[in-house]
């Protein structure tokens, strides 16, 4: 039983860690592309900024769904014997 709980803790850590890395990389790439596009066409800055913040929220939402699933496994463990 302790072995299963250890694997669940490891899996929850991996879910949160890899999700955080993916979200950070995605937002970093998106931010750099926004800055490049704003430098090329400053008149589109407001429209691009709106779309950038919308996408940032969607990227963070995907990460937070992963955190919720990891917390479900950690605290309401369906694999408990």
């Amino acid at each position: 039983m302790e072995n299963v709980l250890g694997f669940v803790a490891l899996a929850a850590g991996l879910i949160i860690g890899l999700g955080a890395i993916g979200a950070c990389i995605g937002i970093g790439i998106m931010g750099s592309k926004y800055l490049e596009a704003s430098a090329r066409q400053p008149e589109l800055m407001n429209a691009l900024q709106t779309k950038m913040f919308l996408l940032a929220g969607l990227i963070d939402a995907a990460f937070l769904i992963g955190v919720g699933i990891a917390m479900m496994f950690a605290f309401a463990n369906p694999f408990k014997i």
Side-chain angles (χ1 to χ4, degrees), residues 4 6 10 17 22 24 26-27 30-31 33 36 39 47 52 61 67-68 70 78-79 81:
V4 172
L10 182 64
C24 290
I27 288 178
M30 182 187 58
K33 297 297 182 180
E36 288 177 15
M52 185 194 71
V67 169
F79 302 113
I81 298 173

Side-chain angles (χ1 to χ4, degrees), residues 1-26:
M1 181 167 159
E2 293 86 18
N3 199 10
V4 172
L5 294 177
F7 285 136
V8 169
L10 182 64
L14 284 173
I15 290 171
I16 293 172
L18 293 176
I21 289 171
C24 290
I25 290 172

Side-chain angles (χ1 to χ4, degrees), residues 22-52:
C24 290
I25 290 172
I27 288 178
I29 291 172
M30 182 187 58
S32 70
K33 297 297 182 180
Y34 166 72
L35 289 176
E36 288 177 15
S38 296
R40 288 178 191 257
Q41 294 183 334
E43 65 274 5
L44 293 178
M45 191 179 297
N46 289 333
L48 291 173
Q49 186 178 23
T50 303
K51 291 177 179 138
M52 185 194 71

